[in-house]
């Protein structure tokens, strides 16, 4: 009984060691934290609701790979960022 459960634990550990690096690599491949975090932090510096601004800026940054300079406006620098609209037809990206 003990050897059976020990074998099961060992097999589980071995399988997880093979699967875990692939899961981590796939999730980090779509997000560039240093670029998006620094750009969105600067973009949302004067926002009234910073956490919401950073959230939507981060989503737009991941998809567009750019964030306009400054804290407001300048969206012509990044057409993808400028053209993203929410369900109400307003700009999705701050």
């Amino acid at each position: 009984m003990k050897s059976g459960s020990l074998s099961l634990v060992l097999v589980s550990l071995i399988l997880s060691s093979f699967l875990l690096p692939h899961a981590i690599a796939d999730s980090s491949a779509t997000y560039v934290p240093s670029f998006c975090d620094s750009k969105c932090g600067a973009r949302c510096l004067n926002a009234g609701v910073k956490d919401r601004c950073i959230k939507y800026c981060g989503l737009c940054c991941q998809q567009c790979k750019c964030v306009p300079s400054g804290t407001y406006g300048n969206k012509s620098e990044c057409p993808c960022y400028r053209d993203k609209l929410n369900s109400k037809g307003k700009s999705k990206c701050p």
Side-chain angles (χ1 to χ4, degrees):
M1 185 77 172
K2 287 184 179 180
S3 64
S5 58
L6 181 61
S7 304
L8 184 61
V9 170
L10 287 173
V11 169
S12 298
L13 287 172
I14 292 169
L15 286 175
S16 65
S17 68
F18 285 113
L19 297 175
L20 187 61
H22 296 294
I24 292 171
D26 290 342
S27 65
S28 64
T30 58
Y31 183 59
V32 184
S34 60
F35 176 78
C36 290
D37 288 348
S38 64
K39 292 289 189 177
C40 289
R43 181 83 179 164
C44 297
L45 189 63
N46 298 332
V49 186
K50 285 188 182 183
D51 57 338
R52 188 182 307 162
C53 179
I54 289 174
K55 174 185 174 183
Y56 287 109
C57 179
L59 291 171
C60 294
C61 177
Q62 287 176 20
Q63 294 171 358
C64 297
K65 309 287 190 265
C66 64
V67 175
S69 62
T71 56
Y72 185 80
N74 303 323
K75 290 188 178 181
S76 60
E77 295 175 359
C78 184
C80 171
Y81 192 97
R82 176 193 64 213
D83 297 338
K84 290 212 166 292
L85 302 176
N86 64 18
S87 60
K88 296 178 182 175
K90 295 190 177 192
S91 180
K92 180 178 183 175
C93 307

